[in-house]
Amino acid sequence: MSNKGQTSYFYDVIWSRFRVNRFALAGAVVVILMFMVALLAPLISPHDPAAIDAYHILLPPSLDHWMGTDDLGRDVLSRMMHGAGISLMVGFVAIGIAIVIGTVVGLLAGYYSGWADAVLMRFVDIMLCFPTLFLILAVIALLEPSIWYIMIIIGLTGWMGVARLVRAEVLSIRERDYVLAARSIGASDLRIIFRHILPNVMGPVLVSATLGVAGAILTESALSFLGIGVQPPTPSWGNILSAGKEFIEFAWWLSLFPGLAIMVTVLSYYLVGEGIRDALDPRLNR
Amino acid sequence: MRLAPVLRLILAALCLFIFSCSRETPPVKSSARSAGPPASGDALVIGTIGDASNLIPILASDAASHDIAGLVYNGLVKYDKNLNIVGDLAESWDVSQDGLVITFHLRKGVKWHDGEEFTSRDVIYTYRVTVDPNTPTAYAEDFKQVRNAEALDSYTVRITYDKPFAPALASWGMAVLPAHLLEGKDITKSPLTRKPLGTGPYRFKEWLAGQKIILEANPEYFEGKPYVGRYVSRLISDLSTMYLELKAGAIDLMNLTPIQFQRQTATPEFTTRYSKYRYPASMYVYLGYNLRNPLFSDKRVRRAITMAINKEEIIHGVLLGMGQKAHGPYKPGTWAYNPGIKDVGYDPKVARQLLAEAGWQPGPDGVLAKNGKPFQFTILTNQGNDLRIKTAQIIQQRLRAVGITVKIRVVEFASLISNFIDKRNFDAIIMGWTISQDPDLFDVWHSSKTGPKELNFIGYSNPEVDRLIEEGRGTFDQEKRRRCYWRIQEIMAADQPYTFLYVPDALPAVSARFRGIEPAPAGIMHNFHKWYVPKMEQVY
Amino acid sequence: MLNYLLKRLIMMIPLLLGITIITFAVIHLAPGEPVEMQTALSPKVTKETRERIRKFYGLDKPLHVQYVTWVTRLAKLDFGRSFASDNRPVLDKIKERIPVTLSLNIVALILEFGLAVPIGVLAARYRDRLFDKGMTIFVFIGFSAPSFALAIFGIYFFGVVLGWLPLSGLHSLGSESLPLLARLWDLAKHVILPIGIVTFGAIAGLSRYMRSSMLEVLGQDYIVTARAKGLSERVVIYRHALRNALLPAITLLGFSVPGLIGGSVIMESIFSIPGMGKLFFDGVMMRDYPLIMGILVIGAGLTLVGNLLADLLYAVADPRIRHGKG
């Protein structure tokens, strides 16, 4: 129980350190804003993102269409708002999968060491040999492009770093006094792993998850850009940009807004991740 | 040249119709320049989205390969600029009274690029290898009609048919292959697949895989050495990059998209550097229904879908008005085209009535349902053609308005053919067919062509259409043929096996330094060997 | 050292087997048989041909038998022939693409280290000063800007508006006849954008890493001692701290290895660079199974070798590993 109190104190400290990091705070604000936009998109988007108007294509930004219209006359702002949800969903689900797999593999390898460790870590080594985008491309192209496959595959190819990280943490934590103490009073492995070790590796995992979300958003937009990501008419930042690249000369609004949105969002996650990392790192204590 | 069906499909898919376009009225040319004296030299650089795969034409089915092979090889006959069949490697020919025997008199003194002489042996070899069941070619169908092909002497070839076959003469536009290099060898493993050797105006120089293919003018070409010294096909895999390359002057010719044509290249800066052309392409785009699917077995339903689609809106939004409505498999203005057919027209109200008659009733959410099953299907189309993807989205929106739920799936072309079309595993599909010069419809519409991998993949079967198609290809009398094809168009207008959508305009832009371009019903490439760049303006 | 090398080499065998297993599994996720693909676009393929292909790929046998035959063939470096209509051996196709991708990415990697290390070190030295903040923003923008958008804007701006750079490909037309130096200059102009964009995107990770490891080292006792001894800040930083901070950065080099082979599918597509990424993307889109499997195995295999080289380098640099357990 003291462990629990310790943990919440720990998070208090982290928050107080995070709070003073202006970059990280700004990132957090953007992330929260994006969430709100994504959740409220159906309510606040000025137009139906799917409403085609063949007679008003590629209109520049105006009062009615703040970000102009695309090559099918759809309102870009509304599509951007709905696309926010897709990007966030891909980021979170994919990284959720990666975190779960990575954490479990890392915990098992680190805690049991020996054979389990050797086998699991060799598996990690093997997976790391494949260029990630190659694996993703192969699987998505062979199956059919659907947003669910994309999320699953980004997740399945993104857990190795987490596994290594968790394993390293576990190796150091499992020799600590409170773990040894728990073991000496006969706590089960499961209990030790989940009650004593897991909470203590969550910090670094959180950092890597935040950075991972940024990476996953980039990967999804790249896939959509290549035409094998989110399929029309579902809007995603990647496919809005992909449609816009053809008209970059005169319809700059079609490339600029999604490009900026991806950049700002990814940047925000990255800043938040870095902020948490710095806050967690006692060596960087100010 | 008459393109065999699979090739037609592929050309249409990639929307590269430079080599097969035509029109009946003079094309719009937006810049006119005085022509200097013809001079040799310089190079034409074109961009291609996909690398060529195989430079033996009967083995390839992609546009990039055929574009190259078209300059390296010749057929016995070809289409001239007005789409009349004229001699190419054949100097002349006689057709017997009953039309069953064609005797070709070959050009004498034509040399293959390696110096060997071209003779009847090459023609006979080409015929034999094409119909050889071990040759993996998609172009055997027309030659299978031949009963016998024989060489009477080195310069005379006699072809005998079992029954009259209207496209017979045109089918000999197929590239003739060099027998002295191929006979007795496995054609699929021949070095000619990578280094073609023909009789054509251009000789193969080099192929940097994934980068470019370079051809150079053949000084011994039988119609005279082409002026333009080299033809370079650069692989530029991204269409927007290709357009920027054109603007930067790094490529000389490409087909513009409607938006590029109207909104991006309408500047004096562009039109002084490039000549733009516009003419109806020889192709149509359609929404085809899998007629094996009970959803589409009722022709009232198909008619209703056509009525729910606003073709004008598609032409306006996707083609920016540069195209025309299609309502049958022919190009408006050609002799086979029936001008008496009225377009079904956009009328969502009647569409809803027709659907109701067919048993589809709107539910509370407005979605049509029959026996508790909602009206829902997927439209497939190929990747890389934004116009079709946009068309699909507009159709999706219009059909939603009458209560039909449409999903869109975009699939890479080769995969679309093999995994969906060939397996008949689709509901509806947006694709294009090239309209060949001969109006024969056998491959795409005859009910005997519904087998696996055959081109009547929607499974259309109408005994009267079958009979008319057979009658049309079995006679040389154009008037008789016209009557057959006009009647077929009436039947199709009633049946709506496809919703014929539009005939787009071809919109090529060519660097203005090239002179001698003669826009004609056959497009602009028909006299490429006569193009030239005045000495002063040569860049390469 | 020799022992260590030997041990590592033996370790590679199970890893290579693992690579083949994963590749095999990925391919067999897909519905349908490869044969159908190969015969799909050539309606004239005879039944015998189809049977021959089936036999060649052993598709009539159970999965584990298929796997064993496939791996046996791989061991003899037989990767089969491409399904594309050129029907060329997969190995040939890969061989002609690897040098392009590899050299581009090595140049990018060198640039990345050349820029990121000084940026990281200086940022640590001038922590929280203008340089540090400016660089933080700069590298973060590089990381977060989608590379494909940068590529498109770059092509348009430098290639079309300014006309400074060629837009795509590797060589200008007619460059083969230029003198060597001019040819190199021509090549450099073609690759400056793709390499620049890749580098820009990659700087963030390494420079941030360098920064924090520098900060960590700077806080260590021996640095404090060195400073107390009155050594100049230059000596402290570049002699003592940098060396120790650099060591962990070498591990990052190892992580970069898969990227060397994998290249950048997106950059290669946009800039029409005939590399592995483009080859793989096209292969995947056409479902060219032998090519996909070949690239996955060769790519991963080469990465394995690359990792080994990186580790050896590390072992040479760090005596603890050389003599330790490895």
Side-chain angles (χ1 to χ4, degrees), chain B residues 53 137 237 245 383 412, chain C residues 36 44 85-86 168 278 285:
Chain B
S53 63
T137 180
S237 34
E245 287 274 16
Q383 200 166 49
E412 194 276 332
Chain C
E36 294 178 358
K44 295 258 67 75
S85 57
D86 61 5
S168 66
K278 183 82 183 78
M285 295 316 278

Side-chain angles (χ1 to χ4, degrees), chain A:
Chain A
M1 329 111 256
S2 72
N3 191 11
K4 207 171 178 187
Q6 213 178 329
T7 316
S8 82
Y9 167 72
F10 181 62
Y11 285 118
D12 280 347
V13 171
I14 291 174
W15 169 236
S16 68
R17 286 197 203 141
F18 183 89
R19 218 167 38 178
V20 295
N21 183 339
R22 266 180 295 162
F23 279 155
L25 216 53
V29 169
V30 174
V31 166
I32 291 167
L33 272 178
M34 285 294 176
F35 257 97
M36 286 169 55
V37 167
L39 287 176
L40 298 177
L43 299 176
I44 59 174
S45 74
H47 296 265
D48 174 358
I52 290 168
D53 183 349
Y55 295 87
H56 293 97
I57 64 169
L58 295 170
L59 294 181
S62 65
L63 274 181
D64 188 28
H65 300 285
W66 291 7
M67 293 189 181
T69 63
D70 70 0
D71 53 339
L72 278 170
R74 295 172 297 202
D75 181 54
V76 176
L77 176 60
S78 308
R79 292 182 69 71
M80 293 288 301
M81 288 175 159
H82 283 83
I86 301 284
S87 290
L88 295 182
M89 186 163 80
V90 171
F92 275 84
V93 176
I95 293 313
I97 294 171
I99 293 294
V100 170
I101 300 178
T103 309
V104 169
V105 171
L107 282 175
L108 292 178
Y111 187 78
Y112 289 105
S113 53
W115 265 105
D117 184 30
V119 170
L120 287 172
M121 285 302 114
R122 289 305 77 76
F123 183 53
V124 167
D125 288 346
I126 292 168
M127 287 295 291
L128 280 172
C129 280
F130 292 99
T132 317
L133 200 54
F134 276 21
L135 277 187
I136 295 176
L137 281 176
V139 175
I140 291 186
L142 297 184
L143 299 169
E144 61 185 277
S146 97
I147 189 165
W148 296 104
Y149 282 136
I150 290 168
M151 294 189 290
I152 292 170
I153 280 134
I154 295 179
L156 288 181
T157 52
W159 55 269
M160 291 84 75
V162 182
R164 283 190 162 179
L165 186 85
V166 170
R167 172 176 172 272
E169 290 288 321
V170 174
L171 283 180
S172 79
I173 291 171
R174 68 173 194 166
E175 302 305 330
R176 292 215 183 128
D177 293 345
Y178 62 87
V179 176
L180 296 178
R183 197 172 293 155
S184 71
I185 58 167
S188 71
D189 283 357
L190 223 60
R191 187 177 165 84
I192 295 175
I193 290 179
F194 283 101
R195 285 303 294 268
H196 302 286
I197 294 183
L198 187 61
N200 288 294
V201 301
M202 279 331 278
V205 167
L206 188 64
V207 173
S208 115
T210 319
L211 302 183
V213 170
I217 290 176
L218 276 179
T219 306
E220 180 276 320
S221 65
L223 291 175
S224 296
F225 183 79
L226 290 173
I228 54 173
V230 176
Q231 297 295 298
T234 309
S236 96
W237 293 343
N239 65 25
I240 298 173
L241 211 156
S242 173
K245 70 177 194 242
E246 210 183 307
F247 320 114
I248 185 164
E249 250 183 305
F250 70 104
W252 49 269
W253 55 92
L254 262 178
S255 317
L256 186 69
F257 293 124
L260 277 180
I262 296 171
M263 196 177 99
V264 169
T265 309
V266 170
L267 185 59
S268 305
Y269 278 97
Y270 203 75
L271 290 174
V272 170
E274 282 252 329
I276 302 175
R277 192 210 314 260
D278 285 354
L280 281 174
D281 192 343
R283 288 166 304 201
L284 292 180
N285 220 335
R286 300 175 193 230

Side-chain angles (χ1 to χ4, degrees), chain B residues 156-465:
Chain B
T156 318
V157 177
R158 190 166 70 195
I159 315 292
T160 315
Y161 289 85
D162 276 328
K163 46 184 194 243
F165 181 55
L169 189 55
S171 71
W172 290 94
M174 179 85 88
V176 177
L177 302 171
H180 67 284
L181 295 174
L182 289 166
E183 210 156 35
K185 301 187 179 134
D186 179 355
I187 190 168
T188 58
K189 304 237 157 64
S190 163
L192 266 62
T193 55
R194 312 278 304 165
K195 292 183 177 146
L197 189 143
T199 51
Y202 283 84
R203 297 204 258 224
F204 173 81
K205 180 143 179 271
E206 72 174 322
W207 180 352
L208 288 164
Q211 298 189 51
K212 58 187 144 217
I213 297 179
I214 302 177
L215 306 178
E216 57 187 6
N218 173 11
E220 279 151 40
Y221 185 50
F222 56 79
E223 288 190 46
K225 182 187 176 188
Y227 292 118
V228 177
R230 278 180 303 162
Y231 175 94
V232 182
S233 168
R234 273 186 58 194
L235 178 68
I236 300 171
S237 34
D238 183 287
L239 271 177
S240 353
T241 312
M242 198 188 291
Y243 168 69
L244 295 178
E245 287 274 16
L246 181 81
K247 283 211 75 161
I251 60 172
D252 297 318
L253 185 158
M254 79 176 275
N255 271 307
L256 300 175
T257 63
I259 289 181
Q260 284 164 354
F261 190 91
Q262 274 195 8
R263 311 243 331 229
Q264 283 164 280
T265 61
T267 58
E269 192 266 337
F270 189 89
T271 47
T272 51
R273 291 170 58 218
Y274 294 91
S275 312
K276 294 199 286 183
Y277 300 89
R278 176 184 165 190
Y279 43 82
S282 286
M283 62 128 22
Y284 66 88
V285 172
Y286 60 88
L287 170 66
Y289 308 103
N290 189 345
L291 302 177
R292 295 168 191 81
N293 186 332
L295 215 49
F296 303 116
S297 54
D298 187 332
K299 78 177 167 195
R300 283 174 301 188
V301 170
R302 302 194 298 264
R303 196 173 176 80
I305 294 177
T306 303
M307 283 184 144
I309 295 170
N310 187 344
K311 293 182 193 173
E312 244 154 64
E313 173 189 48
I314 293 173
I315 290 168
H316 188 95
V318 176
L319 304 177
L320 303 189
M322 292 185 291
Q324 43 200 317
K325 283 192 253 185
H327 23 251
Y330 296 116
K331 189 158 68 166
T334 52
W335 64 264
Y337 174 82
N338 184 345
I341 304 287
K342 261 186 52 202
D343 193 64
V344 172
Y346 170 59
D347 195 339
K349 229 196 224 150
V350 180
R352 270 189 221 102
Q353 274 169 21
L354 277 174
L355 286 165
E357 275 173 38
W360 292 97
Q361 298 296 340
D365 48 356
V367 176
L368 296 182
K370 184 162 141 182
N371 308 329
K373 270 175 67 185
F375 199 145
Q376 183 180 330
F377 67 96
T378 302
I379 294 181
L380 290 174
T381 191
N382 64 292
Q383 200 166 49
N385 193 320
D386 280 351
L387 303 187
R388 286 185 204 156
I389 300 171
K390 285 192 220 172
T391 303
Q393 296 185 55
I394 293 180
I395 290 176
Q396 179 184 43
Q397 163 154 310
R398 285 293 162 197
L399 293 187
R400 194 190 316 139
V402 295
I404 299 173
T405 311
V406 172
K407 282 197 198 126
I408 298 172
R409 181 151 174 216
V410 182
V411 184
E412 194 276 332
F413 187 70
S415 174
L416 178 68
I417 302 287
S418 56
N419 292 307
F420 299 96
I421 294 186
D422 282 349
K423 292 186 185 154
R424 312 303 188 227
N425 173 23
F426 66 96
D427 301 333
I429 188 161
I430 294 182
M431 288 285 280
W433 286 115
T434 311
I435 303 169
S436 63
Q437 294 318 321
D438 190 280
D440 181 29
L441 296 174
F442 194 81
D443 288 316
V444 180
W445 295 102
H446 196 273
S447 64
S448 68
K449 286 290 176 183
T450 53
K453 288 177 186 158
E454 290 180 316
L455 298 179
N456 185 353
F457 46 75
I458 61 162
Y460 181 60
S461 164
N462 180 318
E464 193 184 351
V465 169

Side-chain angles (χ1 to χ4, degrees), chain C residues 18 86 97 101 112 123 183 234 245 266:
Chain C
D86 61 5
R97 301 297 187 105
T101 298
E112 180 195 334
R183 252 161 69 193
R234 280 176 72 96
I266 298 167

